[in-house]
Amino acid sequence: MDDLLTRLHAELRAGLPDEALITDPDVMDAYARDMASFCAAGAPAVVVLPRTVEQVQHVMRTATALRVPVVPQGARSGLSGAANASDGCIVLSLVRMDRILEINPVDRIAVVEPGVINAVLSRAVNEHGLYYPPDPSSWEMCTIGGNIGTASGGLCCVKYGVTAEYVLGLDVVLADGRLLSTGRRTAKGVAGYDLTRLFVGSEGSLGIVVKAVLALRPQPPRQLALAAEFPSAAAACEAVCAIMERGHTPSLLELMDRTTVHAVNRLARMGLPDSTEALLLCAFDTPDPAADLAAVGELCTAAGATQVVPAEDAAESELLLQARRLSLTALEAITSATMIDDVCVPRTKLAAMLDGTAAIAAKYDLTIGVCAHAGDGNTHPVVCFDQADEDEARRARESFDEIMALGLELGGTITGEHGVGVLKKEWLARELGPVGLELQQGIKRTFDPLGLLNPGKLF
């Protein structure tokens, strides 16, 4: 093993500058895992931070020659263990490949390297009157490459969709070091199999994304929001269904359950009534958002809302939305650790998902708060627990699994935007079924016959 490590370091150094290699164990430990709980992580043999496509190719050629696994990473803000190191691997961190190569207002595309921060890209295209919609909650730190790897979503998905809908083309370094270009720069294109879409959400298991062509949209007007308080989660979910059934296109439609509302109140003293069982936040970026909010307000009242508060301007909207942005921070303040689930169900099953989660929390005697992208049925149950208490940690893990089982029973999926990684491998097999699993494993073998790319993830 020592001989292999020595040879690995020597061959990597032959094609990389010294500043691209990290071999100090204490420093490497900082690259060992992402933000997921209950996900094992190993000790990497080396961390590589390339700046060029050629350097990534050198890493993959070396890895293939020596049969060393490679774990690609972005900002490590993921929540499924997809970026966790395995023992003796090369951690390939792409954060230094952070250039915006092109913004084209006529073709409405941006061409970027994988290490570009989501918020940096968003602000850059805004200067051209354009808009890059995918906006994960971690948008100030997460990278475009990471977003592509996990098919990230965000608060605006109800209207604009997820990352996969904005990736037009990719440059990908394959396991053997070859460079593959997929997709297009054009508005339309249907030549051959859609390999681009195959890489989106593959969690670095099929290749290393080194460049992306992203679709942009015209920048919309500033959104206007309202908050509606409900006496039950079921009533709030009824309002969600009514809003969507009537054909409204909100830019944001978020729900917070009683546990989350109370946690935010404790943290930020926002003055929300203790009687609030669910808080629904809705926003529009249409030409006449006030009229749209008025119509939605009526639907909320008809569904049983006890109070509907529309914002007068963008500043008031931001104040209303602050509660949603504080949700995770507030729930994290309750206990020493959290597990964030990511179950997506049909909108018509949203009430059953929330009620079922509340029953699971009672069964396991745990605090579980739910915040949800209600407009697309994507729930984020947050299991709060004391990681030093072995029994409580066991109950947390069991409740997490039971929540995923509930989602599948309701016709949903185990992940809407966080990915599978290590955390949900067993559940991916259940969702896909034996035929689906066999075909997906066959795709993996086609792209990565030696099994070197992010081993132990997904399958």
Side-chain angles (χ1 to χ4, degrees):
M1 183 64 183
D2 288 342
D3 289 344
L4 175 61
L5 185 62
T6 299
R7 186 178 172 192
L8 173 64
H9 289 176
E11 295 201 14
L12 287 173
R13 285 194 177 93
L16 296 169
D18 288 343
E19 55 98 17
L21 291 173
I22 296 174
T23 57
D24 184 303
D26 292 333
V27 179
M28 288 195 295
D29 186 61
Y31 290 84
R33 63 180 67 247
D34 64 15
M35 297 177 70
S37 301
F38 292 109
C39 293
V46 62
V47 174
V48 181
L49 295 100
R51 292 189 183 274
T52 69
V53 173
E54 292 75 19
Q55 290 174 5
V56 175
Q57 290 180 283
H58 175 70
V59 171
M60 293 313 306
R61 291 186 188 115
T62 300
T64 295
L66 299 181
R67 304 299 195 263
V68 177
V70 177
V71 175
Q73 287 185 350
R76 303 190 307 282
S77 58
L79 294 165
S80 69
N84 283 14
S86 54
D87 282 331
C89 76
I90 300 170
V91 164
L92 185 60
S93 174
L94 300 159
V95 294
R96 292 181 181 173
M97 296 181 69
D98 60 356
R99 295 179 299 162
I100 298 174
L101 302 172
E102 179 185 353
I103 297 174
N104 189 317
V106 176
D107 292 331
R108 291 183 182 173
I109 62 170
V111 183
V112 305
E113 292 182 327
V116 172
I117 301 295
N118 184 296
V120 171
L121 174 65
S122 295
R123 294 181 182 119
V125 302
N126 287 167
E127 294 178 5
H128 296 266
L130 296 168
Y131 178 44
Y132 180 65
D135 62 342
S137 296
S138 58
W139 77 305
E140 290 283 6
M141 64 177 293
C142 65
T143 63
I144 295 298
N147 294 169
I148 292 170
T150 57
S152 298
L155 300 183
C156 72
C157 291
V158 61
K159 180 173 182 178
Y160 293 102
V162 296
T163 296
E165 294 167 63
Y166 295 88
V167 182
L168 298 178
L170 296 170
D171 280 4
V172 182
V173 175
L174 299 176
D176 59 8
R178 290 179 296 166
L179 183 63
L180 169 70
S181 292
T182 75
R184 64 195 195 278
R185 292 171 57 100
T186 54
K188 296 166 64 178
V190 294
Y193 295 126
D194 189 353
L195 295 182
T196 303
R197 196 68 173 249
L198 187 60
F199 282 104
V200 179
S202 66
E203 301 184 20
S205 66
L206 301 179
I208 312 296
V209 172
V210 290
K211 186 170 74 174
V213 180
L214 305 174
L216 304 175
R217 300 285 182 264
Q219 189 170 5
R222 292 288 295 275
Q223 65 181 3
L224 206 60
L226 69 71
E229 298 170 19
F230 288 87
S232 69
C237 293
E238 181 183 339
V240 170
C241 291
I243 291 166
M244 302 309 293
E245 184 180 16
R246 297 295 179 88
H248 293 289
T249 56
S251 56
L252 175 148
L253 189 56
E254 298 287 306
L255 187 150
M256 299 159 56
D257 74 348
R258 179 181 187 274
T259 299
T260 307
V261 170
H262 287 200
V264 170
N265 257 345
R266 286 194 298 272
L267 179 71
R269 296 186 176 88
M270 297 196 73
L272 298 169
D274 289 339
S275 59
T276 300
E277 292 292 323
L279 183 70
L280 189 64
L281 299 163
C282 182
F284 286 89
D285 58 5
T286 53
D288 189 5
D292 290 314
L293 289 181
V296 164
E298 292 178 4
L299 294 175
C300 289
T301 300
T306 55
Q307 188 173 8
V308 177
V309 181
E312 295 291 332
D313 54 32
E316 283 190 15
S317 293
E318 285 302 308
L319 287 175
L320 292 178
L321 298 179
Q322 186 67 10
R324 173 62 180 87
R325 295 195 176 98
L326 288 173
S327 294
L328 180 55
T329 302
L331 290 167
E332 287 176 333
I334 294 175
T335 50
S336 63
T338 58
M339 290 184 72
I340 306 173
D341 218 323
D342 174 36
V343 175
C344 192
V345 296
R347 297 184 191 100
T348 51
K349 302 296 185 180
L350 190 58
M353 185 68 203
L354 267 69
D355 288 344
T357 300
I360 291 168
K363 173 182 176 180
Y364 288 97
D365 190 24
L366 292 167
T367 297
I368 303 178
V370 181
C371 48
H373 308 312
D376 50 28
N378 194 175
T379 68
H380 293 309
V382 181
V383 182
C384 304
F385 65 99
D386 180 358
Q387 58 188 345
D389 184 328
E390 290 186 8
D391 181 67
E392 192 164 306
R394 174 191 58 78
R395 286 183 280 124
R397 181 66 212 224
E398 290 178 4
S399 72
F400 186 89
D401 287 343
E402 199 159 319
I403 289 168
M404 284 190 286
L406 173 63
L408 291 181
E409 289 169 11
L410 294 173
T413 174
I414 59 169
T415 177
E417 57 188 6
H418 291 171
V420 174
V422 176
L423 191 61
K424 299 186 177 184
K425 286 171 57 176
E426 174 191 348
W427 289 94
L428 178 64
R430 297 191 196 188
E431 180 170 333
L432 293 177
V435 176
L437 183 62
E438 179 184 348
L439 289 172
Q440 295 218 12
Q441 290 173 330
I443 292 169
K444 165 71 170 172
R445 286 191 294 271
T446 296
F447 282 89
D448 182 21
L450 298 177
L452 298 179
L453 283 168
N454 218 5
K457 315 297 167 52
L458 290 172
F459 310 119

